[in-house]
Amino acid sequence: MSDFLVNMAQASRARAAELPERVKAPAHTPIAFPDDPFAVIAEIKRVSPAEGELGSRDDIAVRAQRYVDGGAAAISVLTEPSRFGGSLADLEAIATALPTTPVMRKDFLTDARQLDEACSARASGVLLIAAMLDDETLRALTLGAIERSLFVLLEAFDADDIARLITLRNVPTIEAAISNRQVLYGVNSRDLRTLAVDPTRLNTLAALLPTDVVTIAESGIKTPDDAIDAKAAGYQGALIGTALMRAADPTQLLQALRSAALETGP
């Protein structure tokens, strides 16, 4: 595990330790991840450790609405406070403003209580990072999310991570959730040791991904050509953050990215 992930995991465990054993009951029914031929998970994040402040002239709920107007299948909200400037308040504000759109908590989750936190903030899904969780914790958190009716984006960085995600399919509950689009596999092209993006990683690892799982390309998708490449490599969607936060017209950019990908064919 990179030093960055170690630090993020330590900070996450410290935050989780301050939570009560039982977080208040979920305030809503999570929304299922949609069946979309190229599902864009459009991200709200205030700060990028690699690129600094990601200024927006819009209120975050307004910006999230512009993502939906551009065809976003779901909204990802960075809730990590120390390096990304996020909060659960951001997530709840967006989920409240967009009651028919699934909103995913993106954070460095390490504890089941953080799943309850996500539910209480009206999340419909969560990100789990394979590289920072041991096998037992990864399985337990995946099952915990499924039990709470959250969709799960399982994030891989390399071939070993993908092999571990495939092993999770031996658990019947997880295999059923994969079939129902409740568990997705993501490949992050950002190297969390250097925070640099290696776009070749998406192509390299695509061949290792099962063809019957919804797969999401993460990081480095900035232009229509990037979206075309991701779709051509076999990904059924993309998580896009920095490019949309930087865009003066995120609706137009999202429409262009989706249109380019969809024209690539099956």
Side-chain angles (χ1 to χ4, degrees):
M1 195 191 311
S2 71
D3 288 346
F4 179 81
L5 278 182
V6 168
N7 291 337
M8 291 293 95
Q10 289 173 342
S12 178
R13 284 192 290 268
R15 291 196 305 274
E18 296 177 355
L19 296 173
E21 284 302 315
R22 295 187 64 84
V23 180
K24 66 178 182 177
H28 78 131
T29 301
I31 303 164
F33 192 82
D35 187 356
D36 187 304
F38 192 75
V40 174
I41 304 174
E43 189 159 274
I44 296 289
K45 60 179 175 181
R46 296 181 181 276
V47 177
S48 163
E51 302 195 32
E53 295 279 346
L54 299 175
S56 167
R57 289 184 291 274
D58 299 331
D59 174 88
I60 55 169
V62 172
R63 195 164 195 86
Q65 178 63 63
R66 296 179 76 187
Y67 291 171
V68 172
D69 293 343
I75 306 297
S76 168
V77 182
L78 251 300
T79 61
E80 198 285 325
S82 64
R83 297 294 301 274
F84 292 87
S87 70
L88 284 163
D90 286 347
L91 191 156
E92 186 164 14
I94 290 169
T96 300
L98 303 174
T100 62
T101 301
V103 179
M104 181 182 80
R105 181 182 188 183
K106 186 175 180 185
D107 209 321
F108 300 83
L109 305 185
T110 57
D111 190 290
R113 288 171 290 183
Q114 294 167 318
L115 301 177
D116 290 334
E117 267 194 319
C119 289
S120 295
R122 305 179 65 84
S124 290
V126 292
L127 176 85
L128 297 177
I129 302 173
M132 61 178 282
L133 300 170
D134 60 38
D135 290 344
E136 181 178 354
T137 306
L138 180 62
R139 181 174 61 252
L141 289 178
T142 302
L143 287 169
I146 293 168
E147 290 165 3
R148 291 163 173 81
S149 299
L150 299 168
F151 73 82
V152 189
L153 178 57
L154 297 174
E155 181 171 281
F157 294 113
D158 57 27
D160 288 342
D161 286 346
I162 292 174
R164 293 175 63 216
L165 299 189
I166 291 172
T167 298
L168 287 175
R169 303 187 71 170
N170 294 330
V171 181
T173 301
I174 296 176
E175 176 64 10
I178 286 172
S179 298
N180 293 331
R181 299 176 64 88
Q182 192 179 353
V183 172
L184 325 173
Y185 287 2
V187 172
N188 195 338
S189 63
R190 188 177 298 280
D191 186 333
L192 289 186
R193 291 164 297 200
T194 65
L195 298 181
V197 172
D198 176 7
T200 65
R201 182 178 296 175
L202 293 177
N203 281 329
T204 301
L205 296 181
L208 305 178
L209 294 167
T211 58
D212 60 342
V213 179
V214 177
T215 54
I216 305 294
E218 301 178 51
S219 299
I221 310 294
K222 298 180 179 179
T223 68
D225 284 345
D226 294 332
I228 289 170
D229 290 345
K231 183 70 164 18
Y235 293 95
Q236 286 101 56
L239 192 156
I240 305 172
T242 300
L244 289 174
M245 290 299 297
R246 294 282 195 205
D249 188 341
T251 300
Q252 183 180 57
L253 175 58
L254 236 168
Q255 289 171 337
L257 293 169
R258 288 193 77 247
S259 295
L262 293 173
E263 289 171 3
T264 305

